[in-house]
Amino acid sequence: MSSIFGNKIKVSVFGQSHSKAIGVTIDGLPAGIEIDIDELQEFLNRRAPGNNEFSTKRKEADKPEFVSGLVNNTTCGAPLTALIYNTNQKSNDYKNIMDIPRPSHADYTAQVKYGGFQDVAGGGHFSGRLTAPLCVAGGIAKQILRQQGIEVFSHVSSIKNIKDDDLDKVNPDKDLLNKVINKPFPVFNDLKGDLMMKTIINAKSESDSVGGTVECVITGVKAGLGNPNFDGIENKISSIIFGIPAVKGIEFGNGFSSTLLFGSENNDEYYYDNDEIVTKTNNCGGILGGISNGMPIVFKVAFKPTPSIAKEQNSVSFKEKKDTKLVIKGRHDPCIVLRAVPCVEAAAAIAILDLI
Amino acid sequence: MSSIFGNKIKVSVFGQSHSKAIGVTIDGLPAGIEIDIDELQEFLNRRAPGNNEFSTKRKEADKPEFVSGLVNNTTCGAPLTALIYNTNQKSNDYKNIMDIPRPSHADYTAQVKYGGFQDVAGGGHFSGRLTAPLCVAGGIAKQILRQQGIEVFSHVSSIKNIKDDDLDKVNPDKDLLNKVINKPFPVFNDLKGDLMMKTIINAKSESDSVGGTVECVITGVKAGLGNPNFDGIENKISSIIFGIPAVKGIEFGNGFSSTLLFGSENNDEYYYDNDEIVTKTNNCGGILGGISNGMPIVFKVAFKPTPSIAKEQNSVSFKEKKDTKLVIKGRHDPCIVLRAVPCVEAAAAIAILDLI
Amino acid sequence: MSSIFGNKIKVSVFGQSHSKAIGVTIDGLPAGIEIDIDELQEFLNRRAPGNNEFSTKRKEADKPEFVSGLVNNTTCGAPLTALIYNTNQKSNDYKNIMDIPRPSHADYTAQVKYGGFQDVAGGGHFSGRLTAPLCVAGGIAKQILRQQGIEVFSHVSSIKNIKDDDLDKVNPDKDLLNKVINKPFPVFNDLKGDLMMKTIINAKSESDSVGGTVECVITGVKAGLGNPNFDGIENKISSIIFGIPAVKGIEFGNGFSSTLLFGSENNDEYYYDNDEIVTKTNNCGGILGGISNGMPIVFKVAFKPTPSIAKEQNSVSFKEKKDTKLVIKGRHDPCIVLRAVPCVEAAAAIAILDLI
Amino acid sequence: MSSIFGNKIKVSVFGQSHSKAIGVTIDGLPAGIEIDIDELQEFLNRRAPGNNEFSTKRKEADKPEFVSGLVNNTTCGAPLTALIYNTNQKSNDYKNIMDIPRPSHADYTAQVKYGGFQDVAGGGHFSGRLTAPLCVAGGIAKQILRQQGIEVFSHVSSIKNIKDDDLDKVNPDKDLLNKVINKPFPVFNDLKGDLMMKTIINAKSESDSVGGTVECVITGVKAGLGNPNFDGIENKISSIIFGIPAVKGIEFGNGFSSTLLFGSENNDEYYYDNDEIVTKTNNCGGILGGISNGMPIVFKVAFKPTPSIAKEQNSVSFKEKKDTKLVIKGRHDPCIVLRAVPCVEAAAAIAILDLI
């Protein structure tokens, strides 16, 4: 199950950081949907590495090759498979990971689980590179959802202690959000964005890294989507979001902040707005009992600081069975939050599409 | 899928707040496991209503009747089904919910999804009462896990802005935790507990409610459990935890706080402790790449304030298609966090058992 | 997974032959469907034991008690759970099965799989009695399907070498089929039915048993239902049909006979019948590429002779680790084909409903 | 779900007859298993087209390219993906299928299901060509099973009314079977094989086609594998076997023939053979209650005659909404049974591996 997500549509991600290719198969897409390949590529470019000084210098075009499921760029009902060939691997950088696990990476846990047979190069199947095929699937899901009036937007809501302006959870401005997601640094408040960038650059210059949060809003979901118990919108979104490397938390609507409020403050009261039932506030993030209430679906995701840092760290040697020091070489993002923004959108789009 | 959780074991919850019975079927349990029914009942009593002034006055014994799957209290390989008969319903209290949805409850979303055919009495299938069969399954899961050296503990980590003492994530004291979970108010620091209780009582006296957080620690999970991508420990736990009503957020290890740290602060460095590889800190909450690293698994859950409050609220009338006022009658917990503590343990135990 | 069937709807069967109750949970039924309980009971009576001299003398009313999922006999969107309490067990009859496995029963395989912890009384979870809850689910599925113009009929197509008349696969006569399924011995040709009955009675008088086949036709399925590959109608139906005890084969349309024909004989040619595309023959049984073509769906199921026979048989003693003799006591059907007829209908109805 | 099979391992097949590539992803393979690529290729060659006069003249090397999941030909725990690039398509042959459906092909059902967007070239996703990636997965499964002492063999048990010699279901001769499966025409009795070949050639010369049966035996499965109800060996095997195009029936052990026997004839009596419990006969095909009893697992599959025949046939024109004639051009197997033999082995191996 580990690399397959969904019930009605099945998104199956494969590949390792340095395997011949990475890719995705999407089973269950309706037939007759034309995919705008250029738009998809633009979406993928938002995630692609090598774009700026905040991300790894590994250069990959991340251009998917569709080997099945499309006829004239239109879905034909058969499973859609897209490959992205890996071209810019530097496997030599990873030789000693087999012996000395990087702190807070999956090196040690993979070593135990796979008994030394895991592909260590570039983090193997655990690499953030696997979010590229996730974004292929998510970019396609976004296009399908938009045809149904549903849109998904994310922004960097914080880097370390620097916070972006708050999203309007009740009436998010879609024009503004469309501009935000296409900024090189996707925030509402560019002054805050500048501070965030400085924070990242400073961390990098100190051979260190930082984390942050990504906020996501899904507009246009009508009331009645989702299910109670274990198949609600929150369950569905969280179970795919935790498939993105470095995610350590998720909250919907007010989330953890709602625990600081009285019920009378946190409850979202209903009223009629032109024959439509809406709420005055959106503290629940558009979800009640696992089911959408017609308000925007809002959630926030916590990304830990990139575990790969250039600073010397303590670790152990499996072979020598003793403590040792480790200096990580190679090309790494000092902050993965920026590139995670489209990944969060992709994951959310897949989750919602699977529920429709 | 909505009421069934798991892959290797399938936990299927059924019933409504006021149906003849609620219950659970567990498919996939190994044969030959003796269930300690008394211990299970003690666990269920931690969740049962009517125990104190902080919870609803509805009295239910929550005594499960096992109709299949056990021979002499020992699992026989066939699906285990347990029923809890509902005895103390007062359906009259819920008559007008069909017309006027309670803010931040699932009344409105259920109305849209089920077209008015949903069982509204007591919240129907969305009721917190459905956590009783979840606890039956979880209590059994806990017994099975303990035979394998795995234990699950939770405490009230906060009520509104009052916080309990911090859990030691690296070396949790299991004796202490065993005492804590059996306290009437399960906190480390009883002075803080007293403040929490006052906070709840005050809210109740103001016809209001409060929320809080529950922290959970799972000890004894060896390194190597879980899977990458969409079937990791975090995905699994979050997808069941969001099945508990009122949950709005979850974080693992440092969670959202990790976004405030540098990588060098947040990384958990390895060292050898008597031939065993452990980490100095446990900011990752025992999970890397979806897989356990042998340290305690730690996560925290946010519960919103009980949406049922006695204060008058604004809502709408479906029939009259206009705004109206609502006063909720009936018996409700001014804070469900206390009774949620065993539910979080139950959900965590089921998630871990499903991964083993 | 073993006791749960389906994707869109999940049918979860539980219970053992001699447990307190057997039952079924159906998750995923749409809300607002009124169940005709009397009609359901009539359907269950077709399967119930003790009706005639061809079946076991165990008497069970097989009257389901609905504990959840219905409000005023109407589905409410929550999982529907029905119980049938076991009342007429005679567990003493089964004492020595723990030691001496009955040939061609699941006693030995269960012993190995469950290590002696399986419930042996009456065959435990392997008992044909578990088809009662299957029929509860199937009877409900039949009612839902009929509201959509889909009907499911089965008849005894053979007992040993006695064959009933052939079904018209192209234009099955639904009025006739409705009469057939409600006959005490459901065949087209009552003279053949008499011969079948004699065959069964003769076998019984010889302390022996016989098997046979059940043919099933599903009318009213429009073209386009089902999926290619592993989720076609044939895959779906076969995977539930083999959940009925004693089934050893299944064939669709011409089935094994099609292997004796030339392609030019077996192909079903299309023609227009009043703007509708139909086929002249129905050798494919209404399914091409896993997908319905609008013709009746037809399949046949092979039931082996009841393994429980009164004749002395050779077997082994686990305890004494040596060969021994076995005489099976207790109440058994000399032929289970008759009672299997509604079970096949039930299974087919569930499979089709899950695909819709 | 349609193109994904399995629970513990997930086999996901993708591609169309004339898409850029076809392929398979296998998720859940254990790490550390070395794949013998040459042996796999030999297995694939048994299925590959163009080998003899009984099969289509389309020439494809069917050489898989592994893009992920292997490190030095050894599984690394990540999903294994293999592609086979299509090279010898002739799409022009299929132009008029969009308008005139071939009898007993999936053209019409696909047209209805996918609304005209299906890939018609070469049968698209419904093509027998999709059994190539199934055989990649199955060939790998066979290698893994053999390391555990489990072997899978199939032979052509009949072509039209010509039957091969019977398999010894109790003590199949593995050396002989190894020779049989590697024959150009895999039968026990080569004289019968000659007759079968003549039957095929005659049909071809008459612009017609024939069908037949494939028998499969799985040796080395210990008692206790499989589950009751819906997840038994029969359910599992049948649900994948019906994913092979042209399959119309399956029977286990004696199958339909068992319906002609008395219980006393069909029952498989136990005895001790050197401390091991075995049966004198194997009429049940090694499966009781869905669970293996330690005897060889035996089943037989019915393949209808190839629907593509060169003879003129009646059909309809969608566009003109009237009856019409059809002559199928292109390259087709006059009998697909021969090439189906390794496909049946592949499917059986995957099913068994998924249960282990």
Side-chain angles (χ1 to χ4, degrees), chain B residues 1 3 10 14 16 20 27 69 76 81 83 85 117, chain C residues 3 10 14 16 27 65 69 76 81 83 85 117:
Chain B
M1 291 290 290
S3 302
K10 299 266 182 191
F14 53 85
Q16 302 108 251
K20 193 173 287 184
D27 194 6
C76 68
T81 296
L83 297 181
Y85 282 90
F117 291 104
Chain C
S3 302
K10 299 266 179 192
F14 53 84
Q16 301 108 252
D27 194 7
E65 176 184 337
C76 67
T81 297
L83 297 182
Y85 282 90
F117 290 105

PDB file of all heavy atoms in Angstrom, chain B residues 1 3 10 14 16 20 27 69 76 81 83 85 117, chain C residues 3 10 14 16 27 65 69 76 81 83 85 117:
ATOM      1  N   MET B   1     -16.130   2.818   2.646  1.00  0.00           N
ATOM      2  CA  MET B   1     -14.877   2.839   3.399  1.00  0.00           C
ATOM      3  C   MET B   1     -15.023   3.599   4.708  1.00  0.00           C
ATOM      4  O   MET B   1     -14.189   3.490   5.585  1.00  0.00           O
ATOM      5  CB  MET B   1     -13.795   3.590   2.607  1.00  0.00           C
ATOM      6  CG  MET B   1     -13.337   2.905   1.397  1.00  0.00           C
ATOM      7  SD  MET B   1     -12.402   1.452   1.863  1.00  0.00           S
ATOM      8  CE  MET B   1     -10.906   2.211   2.564  1.00  0.00           C
ATOM      9  N   SER B   3     -16.477   3.791   7.475  1.00  0.00           N
ATOM     10  CA  SER B   3     -16.509   3.328   8.855  1.00  0.00           C
ATOM     11  C   SER B   3     -15.587   2.151   9.100  1.00  0.00           C
ATOM     12  O   SER B   3     -15.698   1.469  10.111  1.00  0.00           O
ATOM     13  CB  SER B   3     -17.945   2.975   9.236  1.00  0.00           C
ATOM     14  OG  SER B   3     -18.766   4.103   9.056  1.00  0.00           O
ATOM     15  N   LYS B  10      -8.998  -5.044  10.126  1.00  0.00           N
ATOM     16  CA  LYS B  10     -10.051  -4.121   9.688  1.00  0.00           C
ATOM     17  C   LYS B  10     -10.962  -3.863  10.874  1.00  0.00           C
ATOM     18  O   LYS B  10     -11.584  -4.803  11.389  1.00  0.00           O
ATOM     19  CB  LYS B  10     -10.884  -4.746   8.563  1.00  0.00           C
ATOM     20  CG  LYS B  10     -10.088  -5.080   7.313  1.00  0.00           C
ATOM     21  CD  LYS B  10     -10.131  -3.965   6.307  1.00  0.00           C
ATOM     22  CE  LYS B  10      -9.367  -4.345   5.064  1.00  0.00           C
ATOM     23  NZ  LYS B  10      -9.147  -3.222   4.162  1.00  0.00           N
ATOM     24  N   PHE B  14     -19.939   0.604  13.821  1.00  0.00           N
ATOM     25  CA  PHE B  14     -21.313   0.845  13.374  1.00  0.00           C
ATOM     26  C   PHE B  14     -22.174   1.363  14.520  1.00  0.00           C
ATOM     27  O   PHE B  14     -21.805   1.250  15.685  1.00  0.00           O
ATOM     28  CB  PHE B  14     -21.929  -0.419  12.761  1.00  0.00           C
ATOM     29  CG  PHE B  14     -21.853  -1.644  13.621  1.00  0.00           C
ATOM     30  CD1 PHE B  14     -22.814  -1.911  14.592  1.00  0.00           C
ATOM     31  CD2 PHE B  14     -20.824  -2.557  13.462  1.00  0.00           C
ATOM     32  CE1 PHE B  14     -22.760  -3.054  15.379  1.00  0.00           C
ATOM     33  CE2 PHE B  14     -20.747  -3.708  14.255  1.00  0.00           C
ATOM     34  CZ  PHE B  14     -21.716  -3.954  15.212  1.00  0.00           C
ATOM     35  N   GLN B  16     -25.558   4.298  15.708  1.00  0.00           N
ATOM     36  CA  GLN B  16     -25.827   5.710  15.871  1.00  0.00           C
ATOM     37  C   GLN B  16     -26.078   5.978  17.355  1.00  0.00           C
ATOM     38  O   GLN B  16     -26.344   5.042  18.114  1.00  0.00           O
ATOM     39  CB  GLN B  16     -27.058   6.127  15.069  1.00  0.00           C
ATOM     40  CG  GLN B  16     -26.945   5.827  13.593  1.00  0.00           C
ATOM     41  CD  GLN B  16     -27.830   4.678  13.157  1.00  0.00           C
ATOM     42  OE1 GLN B  16     -27.336   3.593  12.830  1.00  0.00           O
ATOM     43  NE2 GLN B  16     -29.132   4.899  13.179  1.00  0.00           N
ATOM     44  N   LYS B  20     -30.458   0.981  18.206  1.00  0.00           N
ATOM     45  CA  LYS B  20     -30.628  -0.078  19.202  1.00  0.00           C
ATOM     46  C   LYS B  20     -29.293  -0.419  19.861  1.00  0.00           C
ATOM     47  O   LYS B  20     -29.194  -0.634  21.056  1.00  0.00           O
ATOM     48  CB  LYS B  20     -31.222  -1.319  18.519  1.00  0.00           C
ATOM     49  CG  LYS B  20     -31.735  -2.358  19.485  1.00  0.00           C
ATOM     50  CD  LYS B  20     -32.458  -3.493  18.759  1.00  0.00           C
ATOM     51  CE  LYS B  20     -33.827  -3.072  18.235  1.00  0.00           C
ATOM     52  NZ  LYS B  20     -34.557  -4.211  17.616  1.00  0.00           N
ATOM     53  N   ASP B  27     -11.728  -7.581  12.100  1.00  0.00           N
ATOM     54  CA  ASP B  27     -11.389  -8.707  11.233  1.00  0.00           C
ATOM     55  C   ASP B  27      -9.868  -8.776  11.121  1.00  0.00           C
ATOM     56  O   ASP B  27      -9.214  -7.755  10.930  1.00  0.00           O
ATOM     57  CB  ASP B  27     -12.004  -8.479   9.848  1.00  0.00           C
ATOM     58  CG  ASP B  27     -11.991  -9.744   9.001  1.00  0.00           C
ATOM     59  OD1 ASP B  27     -11.622 -10.810   9.513  1.00  0.00           O
ATOM     60  OD2 ASP B  27     -12.358  -9.650   7.811  1.00  0.00           O
ATOM     61  N   GLY B  69     -16.434 -14.379  17.404  1.00  0.00           N
ATOM     62  CA  GLY B  69     -14.985 -14.191  17.345  1.00  0.00           C
ATOM     63  C   GLY B  69     -14.226 -14.624  18.573  1.00  0.00           C
ATOM     64  O   GLY B  69     -12.993 -14.693  18.535  1.00  0.00           O
ATOM     65  N   CYS B  76     -10.592 -16.602  18.017  1.00  0.00           N
ATOM     66  CA  CYS B  76     -10.624 -17.875  17.296  1.00  0.00           C
ATOM     67  C   CYS B  76     -10.314 -17.707  15.816  1.00  0.00           C
ATOM     68  O   CYS B  76     -10.462 -18.647  15.033  1.00  0.00           O
ATOM     69  CB  CYS B  76     -11.980 -18.557  17.486  1.00  0.00           C
ATOM     70  SG  CYS B  76     -13.352 -17.699  16.697  1.00  0.00           S
ATOM     71  N   THR B  81     -16.971  -9.552  16.905  1.00  0.00           N
ATOM     72  CA  THR B  81     -17.981  -8.492  16.927  1.00  0.00           C
ATOM     73  C   THR B  81     -18.464  -8.272  18.346  1.00  0.00           C
ATOM     74  O   THR B  81     -18.805  -9.222  19.049  1.00  0.00           O
ATOM     75  CB  THR B  81     -19.177  -8.839  16.021  1.00  0.00           C
ATOM     76  OG1 THR B  81     -18.719  -8.914  14.668  1.00  0.00           O
ATOM     77  CG2 THR B  81     -20.259  -7.778  16.106  1.00  0.00           C
ATOM     78  N   LEU B  83     -21.077  -5.717  20.686  1.00  0.00           N
ATOM     79  CA  LEU B  83     -22.169  -4.745  20.679  1.00  0.00           C
ATOM     80  C   LEU B  83     -22.238  -4.032  22.021  1.00  0.00           C
ATOM     81  O   LEU B  83     -21.944  -4.625  23.059  1.00  0.00           O
ATOM     82  CB  LEU B  83     -23.516  -5.443  20.464  1.00  0.00           C
ATOM     83  CG  LEU B  83     -23.775  -6.186  19.169  1.00  0.00           C
ATOM     84  CD1 LEU B  83     -25.192  -6.754  19.203  1.00  0.00           C
ATOM     85  CD2 LEU B  83     -23.600  -5.273  17.975  1.00  0.00           C
ATOM     86  N   TYR B  85     -25.363  -2.099  23.755  1.00  0.00           N
ATOM     87  CA  TYR B  85     -26.743  -1.673  23.561  1.00  0.00           C
ATOM     88  C   TYR B  85     -26.946  -0.286  24.142  1.00  0.00           C
ATOM     89  O   TYR B  85     -26.438   0.014  25.223  1.00  0.00           O
ATOM     90  CB  TYR B  85     -27.709  -2.690  24.184  1.00  0.00           C
ATOM     91  CG  TYR B  85     -27.882  -3.900  23.294  1.00  0.00           C
ATOM     92  CD1 TYR B  85     -27.047  -5.010  23.418  1.00  0.00           C
ATOM     93  CD2 TYR B  85     -28.851  -3.896  22.295  1.00  0.00           C
ATOM     94  CE1 TYR B  85     -27.183  -6.102  22.565  1.00  0.00           C
ATOM     95  CE2 TYR B  85     -28.995  -4.987  21.449  1.00  0.00           C
ATOM     96  CZ  TYR B  85     -28.161  -6.087  21.590  1.00  0.00           C
ATOM     97  OH  TYR B  85     -28.294  -7.156  20.740  1.00  0.00           O
ATOM     98  N   PHE B 117     -32.304  12.115   5.329  1.00  0.00           N
ATOM     99  CA  PHE B 117     -32.560  10.755   5.832  1.00  0.00           C
ATOM    100  C   PHE B 117     -31.621  10.360   6.975  1.00  0.00           C
ATOM    101  O   PHE B 117     -31.736   9.275   7.527  1.00  0.00           O
ATOM    102  CB  PHE B 117     -32.449   9.740   4.688  1.00  0.00           C
ATOM    103  CG  PHE B 117     -33.556   9.850   3.690  1.00  0.00           C
ATOM    104  CD1 PHE B 117     -33.364  10.438   2.456  1.00  0.00           C
ATOM    105  CD2 PHE B 117     -34.824   9.380   4.010  1.00  0.00           C
ATOM    106  CE1 PHE B 117     -34.392  10.543   1.542  1.00  0.00           C
ATOM    107  CE2 PHE B 117     -35.867   9.475   3.102  1.00  0.00           C
ATOM    108  CZ  PHE B 117     -35.662  10.058   1.863  1.00  0.00           C
TER     109      PHE B 117
ATOM    110  N   SER C   3     -13.266 -11.334   5.570  1.00  0.00           N
ATOM    111  CA  SER C   3     -14.708 -11.382   5.754  1.00  0.00           C
ATOM    112  C   SER C   3     -15.392 -10.117   5.266  1.00  0.00           C
ATOM    113  O   SER C   3     -16.546  -9.869   5.576  1.00  0.00           O
ATOM    114  CB  SER C   3     -15.027 -11.629   7.228  1.00  0.00           C
ATOM    115  OG  SER C   3     -14.420 -12.840   7.640  1.00  0.00           O
ATOM    116  N   LYS C  10     -19.258  -1.981   1.366  1.00  0.00           N
ATOM    117  CA  LYS C  10     -18.455  -2.983   2.052  1.00  0.00           C
ATOM    118  C   LYS C  10     -19.413  -3.873   2.828  1.00  0.00           C
ATOM    119  O   LYS C  10     -20.129  -3.395   3.716  1.00  0.00           O
ATOM    120  CB  LYS C  10     -17.497  -2.321   3.050  1.00  0.00           C
ATOM    121  CG  LYS C  10     -16.509  -1.362   2.427  1.00  0.00           C
ATOM    122  CD  LYS C  10     -15.195  -2.058   2.123  1.00  0.00           C
ATOM    123  CE  LYS C  10     -14.232  -1.089   1.491  1.00  0.00           C
ATOM    124  NZ  LYS C  10     -13.057  -1.737   0.925  1.00  0.00           N
ATOM    125  N   PHE C  14     -19.918 -11.603   9.851  1.00  0.00           N
ATOM    126  CA  PHE C  14     -19.280 -12.113  11.071  1.00  0.00           C
ATOM    127  C   PHE C  14     -20.116 -13.215  11.703  1.00  0.00           C
ATOM    128  O   PHE C  14     -21.282 -13.386  11.375  1.00  0.00           O
ATOM    129  CB  PHE C  14     -19.030 -10.972  12.073  1.00  0.00           C
ATOM    130  CG  PHE C  14     -20.231 -10.133  12.394  1.00  0.00           C
ATOM    131  CD1 PHE C  14     -21.145 -10.529  13.371  1.00  0.00           C
ATOM    132  CD2 PHE C  14     -20.459  -8.941  11.730  1.00  0.00           C
ATOM    133  CE1 PHE C  14     -22.255  -9.753  13.681  1.00  0.00           C
ATOM    134  CE2 PHE C  14     -21.573  -8.151  12.023  1.00  0.00           C
ATOM    135  CZ  PHE C  14     -22.471  -8.562  13.000  1.00  0.00           C
ATOM    136  N   GLN C  16     -20.000 -17.265  13.943  1.00  0.00           N
ATOM    137  CA  GLN C  16     -19.683 -18.665  13.752  1.00  0.00           C
ATOM    138  C   GLN C  16     -20.992 -19.471  13.884  1.00  0.00           C
ATOM    139  O   GLN C  16     -21.972 -18.969  14.444  1.00  0.00           O
ATOM    140  CB  GLN C  16     -18.680 -19.146  14.798  1.00  0.00           C
ATOM    141  CG  GLN C  16     -17.376 -18.377  14.779  1.00  0.00           C
ATOM    142  CD  GLN C  16     -17.236 -17.472  15.985  1.00  0.00           C
ATOM    143  OE1 GLN C  16     -17.330 -16.246  15.882  1.00  0.00           O
ATOM    144  NE2 GLN C  16     -17.029 -18.088  17.141  1.00  0.00           N
ATOM    145  N   ASP C  27     -21.632  -1.210   4.755  1.00  0.00           N
ATOM    146  CA  ASP C  27     -21.196   0.178   4.804  1.00  0.00           C
ATOM    147  C   ASP C  27     -21.262   0.755   3.390  1.00  0.00           C
ATOM    148  O   ASP C  27     -20.831   0.103   2.439  1.00  0.00           O
ATOM    149  CB  ASP C  27     -19.758   0.233   5.333  1.00  0.00           C
ATOM    150  CG  ASP C  27     -19.350   1.643   5.724  1.00  0.00           C
ATOM    151  OD1 ASP C  27     -20.200   2.543   5.712  1.00  0.00           O
ATOM    152  OD2 ASP C  27     -18.164   1.826   6.049  1.00  0.00           O
ATOM    153  N   GLU C  65     -32.213  -8.999  13.188  1.00  0.00           N
ATOM    154  CA  GLU C  65     -32.509  -7.866  14.058  1.00  0.00           C
ATOM    155  C   GLU C  65     -31.586  -6.724  13.632  1.00  0.00           C
ATOM    156  O   GLU C  65     -30.370  -6.880  13.641  1.00  0.00           O
ATOM    157  CB  GLU C  65     -32.251  -8.262  15.521  1.00  0.00           C
ATOM    158  CG  GLU C  65     -32.439  -7.113  16.481  1.00  0.00           C
ATOM    159  CD  GLU C  65     -32.092  -7.500  17.919  1.00  0.00           C
ATOM    160  OE1 GLU C  65     -32.136  -8.707  18.246  1.00  0.00           O
ATOM    161  OE2 GLU C  65     -31.775  -6.591  18.707  1.00  0.00           O
ATOM    162  N   GLY C  69     -28.284   1.664  11.375  1.00  0.00           N
ATOM    163  CA  GLY C  69     -28.308   1.983   9.953  1.00  0.00           C
ATOM    164  C   GLY C  69     -29.681   2.216   9.369  1.00  0.00           C
ATOM    165  O   GLY C  69     -29.795   2.654   8.228  1.00  0.00           O
ATOM    166  N   CYS C  76     -30.122   5.279   6.580  1.00  0.00           N
ATOM    167  CA  CYS C  76     -29.843   6.646   7.037  1.00  0.00           C
ATOM    168  C   CYS C  76     -28.421   7.067   6.688  1.00  0.00           C
ATOM    169  O   CYS C  76     -27.966   8.121   7.135  1.00  0.00           O
ATOM    170  CB  CYS C  76     -30.098   6.757   8.532  1.00  0.00           C
ATOM    171  SG  CYS C  76     -28.949   5.820   9.551  1.00  0.00           S
ATOM    172  N   THR C  81     -26.267  -2.628  10.319  1.00  0.00           N
ATOM    173  CA  THR C  81     -25.858  -3.888  10.926  1.00  0.00           C
ATOM    174  C   THR C  81     -27.081  -4.700  11.300  1.00  0.00           C
ATOM    175  O   THR C  81     -28.007  -4.193  11.927  1.00  0.00           O
ATOM    176  CB  THR C  81     -24.990  -3.655  12.178  1.00  0.00           C
ATOM    177  OG1 THR C  81     -23.791  -2.994  11.782  1.00  0.00           O
ATOM    178  CG2 THR C  81     -24.628  -4.970  12.852  1.00  0.00           C
ATOM    179  N   LEU C  83     -28.246  -8.563  12.933  1.00  0.00           N
ATOM    180  CA  LEU C  83     -27.826  -9.767  13.653  1.00  0.00           C
ATOM    181  C   LEU C  83     -28.874 -10.856  13.475  1.00  0.00           C
ATOM    182  O   LEU C  83     -30.066 -10.576  13.383  1.00  0.00           O
ATOM    183  CB  LEU C  83     -27.713  -9.490  15.152  1.00  0.00           C
ATOM    184  CG  LEU C  83     -26.698  -8.477  15.646  1.00  0.00           C
ATOM    185  CD1 LEU C  83     -26.749  -8.438  17.167  1.00  0.00           C
ATOM    186  CD2 LEU C  83     -25.298  -8.857  15.184  1.00  0.00           C
ATOM    187  N   TYR C  85     -29.594 -14.102  15.802  1.00  0.00           N
ATOM    188  CA  TYR C  85     -29.147 -14.843  16.976  1.00  0.00           C
ATOM    189  C   TYR C  85     -29.250 -16.336  16.717  1.00  0.00           C
ATOM    190  O   TYR C  85     -30.238 -16.811  16.143  1.00  0.00           O
ATOM    191  CB  TYR C  85     -29.953 -14.436  18.215  1.00  0.00           C
ATOM    192  CG  TYR C  85     -29.466 -13.115  18.765  1.00  0.00           C
ATOM    193  CD1 TYR C  85     -30.007 -11.917  18.323  1.00  0.00           C
ATOM    194  CD2 TYR C  85     -28.416 -13.078  19.677  1.00  0.00           C
ATOM    195  CE1 TYR C  85     -29.524 -10.694  18.795  1.00  0.00           C
ATOM    196  CE2 TYR C  85     -27.922 -11.869  20.148  1.00  0.00           C
ATOM    197  CZ  TYR C  85     -28.481 -10.688  19.707  1.00  0.00           C
ATOM    198  OH  TYR C  85     -27.994  -9.493  20.156  1.00  0.00           O
ATOM    199  N   PHE C 117      -7.076 -22.978  17.837  1.00  0.00           N
ATOM    200  CA  PHE C 117      -7.939 -22.008  18.520  1.00  0.00           C
ATOM    201  C   PHE C 117      -9.232 -21.733  17.761  1.00  0.00           C
ATOM    202  O   PHE C 117     -10.077 -20.977  18.213  1.00  0.00           O
ATOM    203  CB  PHE C 117      -7.179 -20.699  18.757  1.00  0.00           C
ATOM    204  CG  PHE C 117      -6.096 -20.824  19.786  1.00  0.00           C
ATOM    205  CD1 PHE C 117      -4.760 -20.877  19.406  1.00  0.00           C
ATOM    206  CD2 PHE C 117      -6.415 -20.914  21.127  1.00  0.00           C
ATOM    207  CE1 PHE C 117      -3.763 -20.999  20.355  1.00  0.00           C
ATOM    208  CE2 PHE C 117      -5.407 -21.031  22.087  1.00  0.00           C
ATOM    209  CZ  PHE C 117      -4.081 -21.074  21.699  1.00  0.00           C
TER     210      PHE C 117
END
